[in-house]
């Protein structure tokens, strides 16, 4: 693959997937499987061409695996949705082992703020014009969960700006 293509994929695929995942989760309370599979597949295709050695790729795969196991455990206990568990694992592939803890801490902080904001929003009466918006009504419903994919995506974007991917793209441009 040419350097321009690799650079483009390396710096665009992850942020676009994070943005799309956040918006999809916010409006539907789901994250599509095709998004997480595509994000993981893009990592597998791009990583060997983006300056990552075999050992580094292994650590990225380990980060994804650990995130998947932890995410599925959290899903099993009902703390997050299944889409969130898969989404965090796909993001962890790109983020890698060295930044995984920072990513999870930032995601937890954003998740806490998001949860408090949604709980506050649910205490307010919903204006009639917004009741007709199904996604807003669902978000306002106290029986619904929190679209945690939003926090996972925002944290991914924060961590990504200082990632190997951005440094690689800048160095090879």
């Amino acid at each position: 693959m040419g350097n321009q293509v690799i650079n483009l994929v390396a710096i665009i695929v992850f942020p676009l997937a994070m943005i799309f995942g956040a918006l999809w989760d916010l409006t539907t309370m789901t994250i599509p499987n095709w998004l997480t599979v595509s994000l993981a597949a893009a990592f597998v295709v791009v990583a060997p061409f983006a300056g990552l050695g075999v050992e580094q790729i292994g650590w990225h795969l380990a980060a994804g695996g650990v995130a998947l196991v932890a995410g599925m455990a959290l899903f099993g206990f009902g703390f997050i949705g299944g889409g969130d568990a898969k989404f965090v694992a796909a993001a962890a592939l790109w983020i890698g082992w060295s930044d995984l803890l920072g990513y999870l801490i930032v995601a937890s902080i954003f998740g806490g703020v998001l949860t408090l904001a949604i709980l506050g929003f649910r205490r307010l009466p919903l204006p009639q014009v917004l009741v007709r918006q199904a996604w807003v009504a669902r978000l306002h419903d106290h029986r619904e969960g929190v679209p945690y994919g939003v926090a996972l995506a925002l944290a991914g974007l924060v961590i990504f700006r200082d990632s190997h991917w951005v440094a690689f793209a800048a160095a090879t441009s």
Side-chain angles (χ1 to χ4, degrees):
M1 288 188 188
N3 276 351
Q4 273 84 10
V5 173
I6 294 297
N7 288 349
L8 190 62
V9 172
I11 62 170
I12 290 186
V13 167
F14 183 83
L16 285 180
M18 293 296 104
I19 292 166
F20 187 81
L23 292 174
W24 197 278
D25 199 22
L26 182 65
T27 59
T28 68
M29 298 292 278
T30 62
I31 299 172
N33 286 334
W34 65 261
L35 177 64
T36 54
V37 169
S38 298
L39 187 58
F43 170 81
V44 171
V45 170
V46 172
F49 301 101
L52 292 177
V54 173
E55 184 178 346
Q56 289 173 304
I57 292 171
W59 283 113
H60 279 257
L61 293 172
V66 166
L68 183 61
V69 169
M72 287 300 166
L74 291 171
F75 169 68
F77 288 113
F79 294 126
I80 64 174
D84 299 325
K86 293 176 275 188
F87 193 52
V88 72
L93 277 174
W94 285 79
I95 290 165
W97 190 261
S98 62
D99 292 324
L100 183 61
L101 181 60
Y103 168 66
L104 296 175
I105 290 170
V106 172
S108 296
I109 292 167
F110 285 162
V113 170
L114 176 67
T115 299
L116 291 174
I118 288 176
L119 290 175
F121 170 66
R122 289 176 177 166
R123 295 180 62 107
L124 300 172
L126 193 58
Q128 193 60 35
V129 69
L130 293 179
V131 170
R132 291 179 280 226
Q133 300 297 320
W135 73 272
V136 176
R138 186 181 315 106
L139 197 60
H140 192 263
D141 187 343
H142 70 279
R143 296 168 294 188
E144 291 286 338
V146 173
Y148 207 78
V150 173
L152 296 172
L154 290 174
L157 292 171
V158 166
I159 297 297
F160 188 75
R161 69 175 186 220
D162 294 323
S163 71
H164 161 82
W165 306 100
V166 174
F168 173 78
T172 57
S173 292

